[in-house]
Amino acid sequence: MNIKQLKDDEVRVQIFKALADPARLEIIRVLRDKGDEMGCGEIGENLALSKSTISYHFKTLREAGLTTTRREAREKFVKLRYDTFEQYFTNFLDSL
Amino acid sequence: MNIKQLKDDEVRVQIFKALADPARLEIIRVLRDKGDEMGCGEIGENLALSKSTISYHFKTLREAGLTTTRREAREKFVKLRYDTFEQYFTNFLDSL
DNA sequence: TCTATAATTCTAAACATATCGAACTAAAAG
DNA sequence: CTTTTAGTTCGATATGTTTAGAATTATAGA
């Protein structure tokens, strides 16, 4: 187990933790279905969670590298980072 | 969000939780490298964790459907369930 | 049968995560 | 300048995860 692998695993662990929650899976699914960026509020509307909890989930996804966020006036817009999914899910076992 | 999706997400969450740990990623990597089943003891030797902790990690992987276990005499042998990886990692976003 | 080996289960602890409401920040609208 | 809107941060709490050591189970061998 070399040092590079330890670092890579930290990233993988953070990604898998981010994915290991039903609310966050749903956020990803909604963004995938839309195929484009969406406002945080619009995504959160269907989520039966407090705004602080929803904000926490967006942060978790962003810090894991699974989304990016852009501010426009008072709103924030989120989109999926397809590059991250590509990198960590395509041929997962071989790339591990 | 239909009922089938809720059930599917439970499975996904369990799989991602199982993958969100460096020791378990290492177990999977060792099995992938071997390309065949391995004894629990042999895998555990390089893991700097107590035997009870290692047993817990094997259980976590098995219960998530990522491995199967076979007993032979006093030993147990573990192997990867490639079908599960195939199902949940190939085209992850589309299948979500 | 007694002992050694391989692994699991139990118990307790230390640590991490998910959740909410309240307080806060930033920006538009009045 | 005050109010409204959109989202974040803080503090507290409940729940879940990881870990080790001790006790336990299962099996092989002397």
Side-chain angles (χ1 to χ4, degrees):
Chain A
M1 271 262 280
N2 57 49
I3 185 71
K4 183 163 180 304
Q5 203 145 72
L6 285 173
K7 286 276 187 186
D8 284 355
D9 277 2
E10 280 178 37
V11 175
R12 288 188 185 96
V13 165
Q14 191 176 12
I15 288 173
F16 290 132
K17 282 185 179 179
L19 293 170
D21 181 277
R24 292 192 293 264
L25 287 181
E26 180 62 14
I27 291 171
I28 291 168
R29 191 156 34 226
V30 166
L31 283 164
R32 187 273 323 263
D33 287 345
K34 181 78 169 191
D36 195 4
E37 68 176 11
M38 288 178 77
C40 285
E42 187 184 0
I43 299 171
E45 269 168 14
N46 314 295
L47 240 47
L49 291 169
S50 71
K51 61 181 179 159
S52 59
T53 300
I54 291 169
S55 182
Y56 159 74
H57 286 310
F58 282 128
K59 187 183 179 189
T60 302
L61 289 170
R62 185 168 14 88
E63 289 180 346
L66 295 170
T67 58
T68 50
T69 296
R70 165 179 84 82
R71 170 156 228 147
E72 184 181 309
R74 278 178 299 193
E75 272 185 287
K76 280 194 171 179
F77 292 88
V78 185
K79 67 176 167 186
L80 291 180
R81 287 189 56 180
Y82 290 99
D83 61 324
T84 305
F85 287 98
E86 182 68 24
Q87 182 174 356
Y88 288 95
F89 281 79
T90 304
N91 299 314
F92 165 68
L93 266 182
D94 290 337
S95 65
L96 184 63
Chain B
M1 272 261 280
N2 56 50
I3 185 72
K4 183 164 180 305
Q5 201 144 75
L6 285 173
K7 285 276 186 186
D8 284 355
D9 277 3
E10 280 178 37
V11 175
R12 289 189 184 97
V13 165
Q14 191 175 12
I15 288 173
F16 289 132
K17 282 185 179 180
L19 293 170
D21 180 278
R24 294 194 291 265
L25 286 181
E26 179 61 14
I27 291 170
I28 291 168
R29 190 153 36 225
V30 165
L31 283 164
R32 188 274 321 263
D33 287 346
K34 182 78 170 191
D36 195 4
E37 67 176 11
M38 289 179 76
C40 285
E42 188 185 358
I43 299 170
E45 270 167 12
N46 315 294
L47 239 47
L49 291 169
S50 73
K51 61 184 178 152
S52 59
T53 300
I54 291 168
S55 182
Y56 159 75
H57 286 312
F58 282 128
K59 187 183 179 189
T60 302
L61 288 170
R62 184 168 15 88
E63 289 181 346
L66 296 170
T67 58
T68 50
T69 298
R70 164 180 84 83
R71 170 155 229 148
E72 184 180 310
R74 278 178 297 194
E75 273 185 286
K76 280 194 172 180
F77 291 87
V78 185
K79 67 176 168 186
L80 291 179
R81 286 189 58 180
Y82 290 99
D83 61 325
T84 304
F85 287 99
E86 182 69 24
Q87 182 175 356
Y88 288 95
F89 280 80
T90 304
N91 299 314
F92 165 67
L93 266 182
D94 290 336
S95 65
L96 184 63

